[in-house]
Amino acid sequence: MAAKTLKPDSIAAQALGWIDEPTRAVIPPIHVSTTYLRDPDNQYRSGRAYARADNPAFDQAEGVIAALEGGAQAALFASGMAAATAVFQALAPGDHVLAPQVMYWSLRNWLMSFATHWGLQVESIDMTDPAAVKAAIRPGKTRLVWVETPANPLWTVTDIAATAQSAHAAGALLAVDSTVATPSITRPIEHGADIVMHSATKYLNGHSDVIAGALIAARDDAFWQRVKSIRVQLGGTLGSFEAWLLLRGLRTVHLRVPRASQSAQRIAEHFDGHARIEAVHYPGLPGFAGHAVAARQMHGGFSGMLSLRVKGGEPAAVAVAAKIELWKRATSLGGTESLIEHRASVEGAGTPVPTDLLRLSVGLEDAGDLIDDLEQALRAASP
Ligand SMILES: Cc1ncc(COP(=O)(O)O)c(C=O)c1O
């Protein structure tokens, strides 16, 4: 059956159903060659010359990711940061870009340091407010609007369709960091995004054992070709083994993400209004600011990411993390094991993250066990 008629679960489970023709293997080999044989007449009929540019190890994972996102093409990168920064580097010095006030901190730091130094005019706005987006766009000058939804670590939600409309009306592109939602929950291209970005380190791989990034283009156009050429020229190329592991992880993304989302929903509901918790940040809670938009553009769950603000400020939050037993005290997200971190400590001085906030990445353990562990940590850390 053609991939177009298959449901995403079928596409992912069989990794597009490809087999390795020479061996009839159902699972692809790991291609490690860095170079390819030139034909006697000096041509490269294989279409491949050198693995910084082309690697058969990427073909299948890129094909699966493009199919899951409903894009024209995908490109793997050495990390989520390599993928994200390639989009900005495909712009020209002097271009104006809009970025959210709440976003993945490392990318925000890069935008405010390297990218501005290099000549991009970066403006941070409240991306959850469509009126603020409209007002900030400068027709003819704004080339890119960057959205992250839900956004680290407050899980604020941006209306992708409304933002795409404002961006396109002014001739700008819309790029969406969809790392947290994943194509299992939201397919930004269906809502008007031009580029989708993933830290594939997170849910796409899903096992905390690969650093990788991916970009997906709605169209194969001149901008996309420029983005891809940046991967080749700057060398932010993924390793073959990592690409192979990523493909293995992708096969179960449609099982893992809904399961993590169900548990996150249960945990969020349990701690919403809890005597020791100041606030729960989770798009799946009806009282959460972005819930209505999230309910429109997120399907089958609201992701496995949530944050708890602990009563008693930073010392109380750090004490709860210290007393945790089942959750792992570590950064990152999207693995099978649940992670907890005092986010402000990770981001350091100048972070806008509230100091009483614990960021939780919900894994695949029993949700009751995860709740019990948080409850015992809250009791043990009680003043
Ligand atoms: C939402 C989001 N975008 C981008 C990145 C960067 O990805 P990587 O760590 O794979 O470079 C991360 C990493 O935590 C992230 O959480």
Side-chain angles (χ1 to χ4, degrees), residues 126-140:
D126 177 2
M127 205 60 83
T128 65
D129 177 5
V133 179
K134 254 192 187 155
I137 286 182
R138 301 183 206 160

Side-chain angles (χ1 to χ4, degrees), residues 79-81 104 148 152 177 179-180 197 199 201-202 211-212 333 359:
S79 66
M81 282 299 287
Y104 174 58
E148 181 181 327
N152 259 292
D177 181 343
T179 297
V180 168
M197 177 253 151
S199 166
T201 311
K202 318 300 183 195
I211 296 280
L333 60 104
R359 190 182 86 165

Side-chain angles (χ1 to χ4, degrees), residues 31 38-39 41 48 57 64 70 79 101 127 130 133 160 177 187 198-199 206 214 234 260 262 265 270-271 291 355:
H31 292 277
R38 195 186 268 277
D39 297 327
D41 60 358
R48 302 185 200 276
V64 172
S79 66
Q101 282 160 354
M127 205 60 83
V133 179
I160 300 171
D177 181 343
R187 289 163 34 112
H198 284 278
S199 166
L234 298 191
Q262 269 169 21
Q265 182 78 36
H270 179 92
F271 287 102
H291 178 71
T355 55

Side-chain angles (χ1 to χ4, degrees), residues 87-253:
V87 177
F88 291 99
Q89 288 177 95
L91 300 171
D95 284 347
H96 177 243
V97 305
L98 294 179
Q101 282 160 354
V102 178
M103 67 183 292
Y104 174 58
W105 71 296
S106 216
L107 185 57
R108 183 182 61 233
N109 286 351
W110 182 86
L111 284 173
M112 294 308 169
S113 52
F114 185 93
T116 48
H117 187 66
W118 181 67
L120 284 185
Q121 293 181 39
V122 184
E123 190 176 339
S124 289
I125 60 162
D126 177 2
M127 205 60 83
T128 65
D129 177 5
V133 179
K134 254 192 187 155
I137 286 182
R138 301 183 206 160
K141 189 86 184 130
T142 307
R143 288 290 321 280
L144 181 77
V145 178
W146 184 269
V147 161
E148 181 181 327
T149 184
N152 259 292
L154 303 179
W155 318 116
T156 47
V157 177
T158 294
D159 186 329
I160 300 171
T163 312
Q165 227 171 27
S166 301
H168 294 161
L173 296 171
L174 176 70
V176 177
D177 181 343
S178 198
T179 297
V180 168
T182 81
S184 173
I185 289 180
T186 303
R187 289 163 34 112
I189 289 171
E190 285 176 356
H191 300 273
D194 302 290
I195 301 271
V196 180
M197 177 253 151
H198 284 278
S199 166
T201 311
K202 318 300 183 195
Y203 290 103
L204 294 190
N205 179 61
H207 293 77
S208 306
D209 52 12
V210 167
I211 296 280
L215 292 176
I216 305 93
R219 297 168 305 282
D220 180 9
D221 57 12
F223 185 76
W224 176 242
Q225 287 304 321
R226 205 167 137 71
V227 169
K228 286 212 304 187
S229 75
I230 285 167
R231 178 182 78 177
V232 178
Q233 287 165 18
L234 298 191
T237 316
L238 193 64
S240 298
F241 185 51
E242 284 75 9
W244 188 90
L245 277 174
L246 173 57
L247 184 67
R248 187 169 74 159
L250 276 168
R251 290 173 188 266
T252 55
V253 66

Side-chain angles (χ1 to χ4, degrees), residues 94 140 175 282:
Y282 188 63

